[in-house]
């Protein structure tokens, strides 16, 4: 398997623009997690899905952030409008029901909002 | 409240020496504990986990961790450090509240192995 796939790997945008991050989990995994990593705040869980259904979105910082999982092989994290303080590395991770705690991380998307 | 603490922001070790990266936790019930590693510009990788059983858990790349219930600790260890072990290490504990499958993450410890 190719592992968790994220795109784009790097994104530079201007404040106010819409940003969409994409994730393809490992086939057969039914948990999907979105994280944000910054120097100041460390690793933060934003939202996670089970069987395409959002289970806990309490980590989503504000209404500008939204996430969807239309099917088992695809998820998006959208920021609209983006702000400079959203600059971070965003990770997607997936896990299977037999080992939910063993999360497999994608390479991340490095977002810079100018 | 459930939490994980990594008391050291950075650990410096000479190559060939043993290394320890510390982790303490606070969790209700029996803990599920994990170590992950992050190399520069990469995602986190699973190293090892403790669920139950032997207090000494062996994982990838020669790492091991010792679960100590009385001290609520789960320190990561390796007998002989390699320069390639230099990375950011995260300790995590499973949130045991209900059916919540979240991991609660420590802040991370930067491990630097000097030649």
């Amino acid at each position: 398997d190719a592992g968790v796939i994220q795109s784009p790997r790097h994104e530079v945008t201007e404040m106010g623009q819409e940003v969409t991050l994409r994730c393809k989990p490992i086939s057969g995994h039914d948990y999907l997690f979105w994280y944000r990593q910054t120097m100041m705040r460390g690793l933060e869980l934003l939202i996670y899905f089970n069987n395409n259904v959002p289970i806990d979105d309490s980590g989503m910082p504000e209404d500008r952030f939204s996430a969807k999982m239309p099917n088992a092989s695809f998820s998006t994290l959208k920021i609209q409008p983006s702000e400079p303080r959203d600059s971070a590395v965003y990770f997607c991770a997936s896990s299977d029901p037999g080992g939910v705690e063993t999360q497999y991380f994608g390479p991340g998307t490095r977002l810079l909002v100018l | 409240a459930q939490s994980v603490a990594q008391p050291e922001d950075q650990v410096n070790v000479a190559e060939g020496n043993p290394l320890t990266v510390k982790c303490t936790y606070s969790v209700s019930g029996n803990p599920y504990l994990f170590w992950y590693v992050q190399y520069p510009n990469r995602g986190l990788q699973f190293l090892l986990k403790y669920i139950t059983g032997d207090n000494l858990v062996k994982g990838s790349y020669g790492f091991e961790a010792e679960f100590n219930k009385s001290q609520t600790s789960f320190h990561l260890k390796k007998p002989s450090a390699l320069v390639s072990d230099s990375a950011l290490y995260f300790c995590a504990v499973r949130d045991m509240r209900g059916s919540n499958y979240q991991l609660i993450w420590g802040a991370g410890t930067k491990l630097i192995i000097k030649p």
Side-chain angles (χ1 to χ4, degrees), chain B:
Chain B
Q2 305 194 100
S3 63
V4 175
Q6 293 182 242
E8 302 153 317
D9 291 336
Q10 183 170 308
V11 171
N12 297 299
V13 178
E15 186 177 26
N17 284 1
L19 69 87
T20 299
V21 183
K22 296 179 180 177
C23 173
T24 59
Y25 65 90
S26 173
V27 63
S28 56
N30 295 319
Y32 289 14
L33 297 157
F34 307 85
W35 277 102
Y36 282 74
V37 60
Q38 184 180 26
Y39 297 102
N41 300 312
R42 304 283 296 277
L44 280 71
Q45 296 178 36
F46 170 78
L47 269 182
L48 51 81
K49 66 181 176 183
Y50 171 84
I51 305 295
T52 187
D54 194 344
N55 289 344
L56 187 63
V57 179
K58 294 188 182 299
S60 305
Y61 310 121
F63 283 93
E64 57 190 25
E66 186 169 11
F67 169 63
N68 187 316
K69 189 172 183 178
S70 63
Q71 297 185 6
T72 61
S73 67
F74 189 56
H75 300 334
L76 181 70
K77 300 181 180 183
K78 187 172 182 180
S80 179
L82 299 173
V83 173
S84 57
D85 293 330
S86 299
L88 188 58
Y89 290 81
F90 290 91
C91 182
V93 61
R94 178 182 161 181
D95 187 335
M96 300 302 288
R97 291 170 293 179
S99 60
N100 196 324
Y101 286 116
Q102 292 185 41
L103 291 179
I104 300 168
W105 298 88
T109 298
K110 186 174 183 180
L111 177 64
I112 297 176
I113 309 299
K114 298 182 177 179

Side-chain angles (χ1 to χ4, degrees), chain A residues 63-75:
Chain A
D63 291 344
R64 298 185 296 105
F65 286 69
S66 62
K68 295 181 179 180
M69 192 165 186
N71 57 62
S73 60
F74 183 66
S75 178

Side-chain angles (χ1 to χ4, degrees), chain A residues 3-64:
Chain A
V4 176
I5 298 172
Q6 291 187 248
S7 65
R9 293 293 309 277
H10 303 273
E11 177 82 25
V12 180
T13 190
E14 293 187 347
M15 182 174 63
Q17 296 298 306
E18 177 179 295
V19 174
T20 300
L21 311 181
R22 297 172 176 81
C23 175
K24 176 178 169 57
I26 293 173
S27 177
H29 284 190
D30 62 353
Y31 282 85
L32 185 139
F33 305 82
W34 280 104
Y35 289 93
R36 177 172 69 176
Q37 186 178 35
T38 62
M39 290 292 292
M40 291 297 294
R41 300 175 68 90
L43 192 65
E44 302 173 276
L45 176 66
L46 300 177
I47 184 171
Y48 78 97
F49 296 82
N50 178 219
N51 290 321
N52 313 335
V53 176
I55 302 301
D56 188 341
D57 65 354
S58 60
M60 296 286 262
E62 45 196 281
D63 291 344
R64 298 185 296 105

